[in-house]
Amino acid sequence: MQQSLDMAKREALKVSEALLLCQRELAQVRGQEEPLQEECSQLRTESIMATATAAYLAQALANHLSDAFWEEREPATPIRLRRFIGSRWPWLRKLFGSRRSPTGLAEDEQIRLIEASPLFQPAWYLQQHSDVALAGINPAAHYLYSGARELRDPGPGFSTRDYVARHPEIEQGGCNPLVHHLQTLG
């Protein structure tokens, strides 16, 4: 019986030593955990700042590409004045003496309609489709000419794929899904 008791005490001592060793290791791990949590917090902050910077730069790029696009299309007058007058009084556009074809003018109207839509978010479009940003193309023009055919979305609030699935006639007619949506609503 004494022998069993001694053996139990030795086992309890071994377990006690193992427990003490585990407690020391746990304290060591917790000591290493604090700097890692600090580093994770710093990385989260940097990630948020990088995301905000990327959004700002994408918006600036989208504005620049749009301005450059319209300056190339309508170089005769200051771009902002022409766009302002054209958007407020469409019949006055004829006074500026545009020598563009009716098809080109219709495309310009569609690009203006896309740019004015809250469903089209040019900065988001450039961030989602970096090839468009790298090519230096006006995002609204890209969406009109090829983005919709490639089933790219103009913004997070409009699914080109879903709209085309609900309205198969627009694919056959060659109409841009967002333009179709905006024109049928308005």
Side-chain angles (χ1 to χ4, degrees):
M1 175 89 151
Q2 183 64 28
Q3 191 177 13
S4 298
L5 192 58
D6 288 342
M7 202 159 124
K9 284 183 181 178
R10 275 187 249 135
E11 285 298 315
L13 185 60
K14 284 181 185 177
V15 169
S16 187
E17 287 174 355
L19 182 60
L20 186 61
L21 181 63
C22 285
Q23 287 174 338
R24 286 182 189 149
E25 287 177 1
L26 181 60
Q28 186 179 16
V29 166
R30 285 187 178 152
Q32 293 171 349
E33 181 184 25
E34 283 180 30
L36 291 175
Q37 285 180 344
E38 230 176 82
E39 186 177 343
C40 283
S41 176
Q42 183 179 1
L43 290 173
R44 275 189 215 102
T45 301
E46 289 175 8
S47 174
I48 290 168
M49 290 176 60
T51 301
T53 301
Y56 173 79
L57 292 174
Q59 186 62 53
L61 178 60
N63 292 342
H64 173 74
L65 292 173
S66 178
D67 288 347
F69 176 82
W70 291 113
E71 183 62 34
E72 182 180 317
R73 294 268 190 157
E74 303 169 338
T77 61
I79 187 168
R80 297 193 194 287
L81 175 63
R82 177 182 288 269
R83 288 174 73 187
F84 173 78
I85 291 172
S87 67
R88 300 301 188 272
W89 305 284
W91 55 273
L92 282 178
R93 283 194 199 118
K94 294 176 185 173
L95 293 178
F96 288 112
S98 177
R99 293 181 177 85
R100 308 239 11 243
S101 70
T103 304
L105 293 173
E107 288 174 351
D108 287 356
E109 287 299 318
Q110 291 177 353
I111 293 169
R112 282 188 184 91
L113 184 65
I114 291 170
E115 284 183 332
S117 170
L119 296 172
F120 180 71
Q121 296 181 6
W124 181 91
Y125 192 81
L126 291 176
Q127 286 180 305
Q128 297 300 311
H129 311 295
S130 58
D131 59 320
V132 178
L134 291 172
I137 301 169
N138 176 357
H142 179 272
Y143 182 73
L144 177 69
Y145 296 133
S146 60
R149 272 186 277 120
E150 296 166 357
L151 298 177
R152 298 182 187 208
D153 295 335
F158 185 87
S159 172
T160 301
R161 185 179 307 274
D162 291 347
Y163 194 82
V164 169
R166 283 192 312 260
H167 303 278
E169 72 277 3
I170 64 171
E171 195 170 30
Q172 296 162 353
C175 185
N176 182 282
L178 182 57
V179 171
H180 181 268
H181 174 72
L182 296 170
Q183 288 176 339
T184 55
L185 285 180

